[in-house]
Amino acid sequence: MINNVVLVGRLTKPVDLRYTANGTAVGSFTLAVNRSFTNRDGERETDFINCVLWRKAAENFANFTRKGSLVGIEGSIQTRNYENQQGQRVYVTEVLASNFSLLEPRSVTEQRPAGDGASNDEPQNSYQNNNNTNYQSQNNSAKQSFSNDPFSSNDNDVIDISDDDLPF
C-alpha cells in the first residue's frame, strides 16, 4: 500500500508550535496550495490543507518560516476522530509531514512581518514583487557565471554529437 504526499504551497499563518505533556514538540499549520487548473471564470482555486509536524523538525520549521513562506512538504495522509465537548464525533484528515523544504531565500522570508499579520496593512502582492526581483537578480548572476557553459540553452549554440558517442 502507498500513502505518500508531496505538497508545495504557502503558509496561511505562523506555525502553531505546542508541546505535549512529556515535552514533545508538535507544529500544526495550514498550507495553501493552488490547483493546477482554472475554473469556469479562469481563476485558480486554492486548497487549504492542514498539516502536522513533530519533534525537532517542528521546532525548526516554526523557527525558519513565517506566514506566506513558500515550502515543500513530504509526508502521508492520516485520519483520526474524537468526541468534542458537545458529544459529537469529529473526523479530521491531515498530512503528517515527515520532511520539509524551504523554497525561497532566507532574505525573502525575513522581509515578511513576524506574527499573524493581522495588523499588517501592506498588500500581499508586495511580497510577490519582492520575490520576483530577488529571483531575477539571482538568475542574472547565474547566467553571467555560466555563460561559457556548453550545455546552456542558447539558440546559436549547436552541440554536434555523433551516434557513436551515445551510450544507448
Side-chain angles (χ1 to χ4, degrees):
M1 292 183 228
I2 299 172
N3 182 356
N4 191 28
V5 176
V6 177
L7 300 171
V8 173
R10 294 195 179 272
L11 291 178
T12 61
K13 59 185 176 184
V15 177
D16 182 19
L17 184 64
R18 297 179 186 213
Y19 293 88
T20 63
N22 63 358
T24 304
V26 58
S28 301
F29 56 95
T30 302
L31 206 59
V33 180
N34 289 338
R35 294 184 179 173
S36 59
F37 53 88
T38 57
N39 62 18
R40 282 188 240 176
D41 300 328
E43 299 170 349
R44 288 206 186 274
E45 294 180 0
T46 303
D47 292 307
F48 297 93
I49 302 170
N50 295 325
C51 303
V52 176
L53 192 59
W54 288 86
R55 298 178 184 73
K56 187 66 176 173
E59 293 175 324
N60 288 335
F61 191 70
N63 288 332
F64 293 118
T65 60
R66 294 184 179 174
K67 176 182 177 181
S69 293
L70 182 65
V71 297
I73 299 294
E74 295 176 57
S76 58
I77 293 178
Q78 108 178 344
T79 59
R80 59 186 171 88
N81 63 71
Y82 62 93
E83 194 171 299
N84 67 12
Q85 293 176 347
Q86 291 78 27
Q88 299 170 324
R89 179 71 47 198
V90 178
Y91 295 90
V92 179
T93 301
E94 57 199 358
V95 173
L96 177 60
S98 57
N99 195 12
F100 68 88
S101 298
L102 305 175
L103 300 179
E104 62 187 1
R106 184 180 215 169
S107 60
V108 173
T109 301
E110 289 175 350
Q111 287 176 356
R112 288 193 176 81
D116 63 2
S119 62
N120 186 13
D121 294 334
E122 187 176 338
Q124 290 182 347
N125 291 347
S126 65
Y127 297 134
Q128 186 175 9
N129 292 339
N130 288 342
N131 289 348
N132 291 339
T133 304
N134 234 349
Y135 288 131
Q136 286 172 356
S137 65
Q138 287 177 354
N139 288 340
N140 289 341
S141 64
K143 285 178 186 175
Q144 291 169 356
S145 63
F146 292 110
S147 61
N148 296 330
D149 183 5
F151 298 105
S152 65
S153 60
N154 289 339
D155 294 333
N156 299 336
D157 297 337
V158 176
I159 299 174
D160 194 18
I161 300 175
S162 71
D163 291 339
D164 296 335
D165 293 336
L166 297 175
F168 46 89

